[in-house]
Amino acid sequence: MITTDELKDLPLFESLSDEWRRMIAESAAELSVPAGEWIVREGETPSFFVLLEGSLTCEKDYGGTNKVSAPYAPGDFYGEIPILLDSVAIASLKSTAPSRLLRLDRVQFKDMIASSPRCNQIVVEVMTRRLKMIQNHMQTNDSLRVRVVGSQYSTECRDVRDFLSQNHISYRWSDHDETNPIIPDSCGEAYVVVDQSKVVSCPLTVRKVAQALGMRTAPEQTAYDVVIIGGGPAGLAAAVSGASEGLKVLLLEKKGIGGQAACSSRIENYPGFPTGISGNELASKALKQAVHFGAEIVVTREVHQILTMDGEYCIEMDGGYRVQAKSILLATGVQWRTLSVPGMKPLIGRGVLYGAARTEAHTVLGKNIFIVGAGNSAGQAAMFFSGYACSVTLLVRGRDIRNSMSQYLVDQLRSRTNIYIETSTEVSSVSGDTHLDSICTESSGQVKQRQADALFVMIGACAASAWMPDELQRDPNGFVLTGRDATPARGARTPFLLESNLPGIFCAGDIRHDSVKRVSSGMGEGSMAIAFVHQYLALQTETVAALI
């Protein structure tokens, strides 16, 4: 119980009147937390905390994997900066020993400092000192752990930049060599430097970069309750739900976290984000949640096959790794459909790109670019690149873009003076020697050749499910059948709503037959799939008990 006497001994409260100390003692929340518990996480809505007993540490995340921490002793407080600046928490607070804290909400805190000029002065002085510390840290420390050197047309370099961006790891990129004594001559044209000391090259791969950053690229355990294959919106939502509900969860992602949703520069119709949120940022938040609840996340690891073993499943990955799973969730997403026109193949990665990663923004600075597609992803890419490119031309095969794109995006596109929409238009060929320099388009029988610095192709998606078990039922296009669309083996039970014909193998997101291709629906399916996983595991437990 908080008393007025213990408040009087703390510098923050000693200037308050007896009446105010009594009010705070009676109305403030009292928290008792064990060692190792998070009080508030960076990005959350903050309260104002005062440490009464124990010890805390304040941690600030810089550059995705680099953290700076500061100790808190009894009498220290936290939360004044985000409350007074009306922002989310800019750092995380964690107990390092069993601790007792006083908590005030925003209104209580503001009323308290308004009641006493001296209390207000103490808060402002501490806030000023902390902001100065942040400024000094930024001036004396480079928060960018990664430097990427390589041509914009280097596939390896682009893959690394996309991976870093999707995993919210800031980096510095230059398309030419810089003088650096630690770079050996054998590194070639593309290389990465991590923490100013580790050189990744010969050959440059995403996995080697991930390992240099200390990211997990192989599973730690050999058996899991559920293995989620795919780290897009559906897979991340499932990892959050499964881990938070006590399941032993492994998520495998062969590329970067976020999937194709990472190409969405701004999603404005996702509930809860009235000013919009990028697919990349949404995935980053979900990843932090999944890790917070204990899900194991493994990146750059590709699944080769799924085998049946002793009533469970064995998942084989590249590198010879194997894990056993009581259940599996397929959330692999889809691949961009290819555009087959003369000249395309040799220019892929050299001006012709599938999807539209945010990392390409600086490669199109001041240039004339084209985007093929009429969906929301294409519209969002056009809006994003219009802030960098000289001109963005959206090439649409149909007659009216409103048939395939959300109205809010259509309105935004038409408000930008450097975005042009050409309907009833198709690309007939592309050309260039070492990189793309022109495209030919056809509209109403008229062929036009035009200078082009980049061509982004976003014409829909196709399933990449050939590696999945032959027994797994799919539609003619390769999308996985679930629920009543799947036909169970004779005498077997009817599959759950998101379950395939193979008991215990579930499917969510874009790879599922007849799914709604939206980020919000994918995340909804991922969370819902975990509910069916629980039901399946309960059935398995009942079956084993009956046999005993």
Side-chain angles (χ1 to χ4, degrees), residues 75-148:
D76 289 339
F77 54 83
Y78 169 92
E80 79 288 346
I81 294 177
I83 290 178
L84 293 178
L85 296 181
D86 196 24
S87 69
V88 296
I90 63 172
S92 302
L93 197 63
K94 183 180 183 180
S95 61
T96 54
S99 301
R100 183 165 154 263
L101 299 93
L102 174 151
R103 182 178 67 191
L104 300 175
D105 62 26
R106 287 174 179 264
V107 174
Q108 289 173 314
F109 167 69
K110 290 182 177 181
D111 286 345
M112 180 187 73
I113 61 175
S115 72
S116 168
R118 176 55 186 157
C119 181
N120 184 81
Q121 182 183 1
I122 292 173
V123 169
V124 171
E125 286 175 351
V126 171
M127 176 178 172
T128 302
R129 185 167 66 248
R130 288 173 174 170
L131 291 173
K132 184 67 174 177
M133 288 172 58
I134 294 174
Q135 181 184 21
N136 291 339
H137 176 82
M138 297 300 293
Q139 289 176 343
T140 57
N141 295 275
D142 188 356
S143 63
L144 301 181
R145 295 182 59 195
V146 182
R147 184 162 66 87
V148 181

Side-chain angles (χ1 to χ4, degrees), residues 274-292:
T275 59
I277 184 172
S278 71
N280 201 357
E281 185 180 359
L282 186 65
S284 175
K285 291 178 182 293
L287 175 62
K288 287 181 178 180
Q289 278 183 295
V291 172
H292 168 64

Side-chain angles (χ1 to χ4, degrees), residues 451-472:
Q451 181 267 331
D453 296 304
L455 177 69
F456 296 93
V457 182
M458 307 175 77
I459 55 173
C462 58
S465 59
W467 64 271
M468 296 178 185
D470 293 338
E471 303 83 8
L472 186 73

Side-chain angles (χ1 to χ4, degrees), residues 393-409:
T393 302
L394 203 59
L395 303 176
V396 179
R397 184 173 60 177
R399 293 184 177 181
D400 193 337
I401 197 171
R402 292 175 297 181
N403 294 334
S404 54
M405 189 179 296
S406 297
Q407 186 61 45
Y408 81 90
L409 264 177

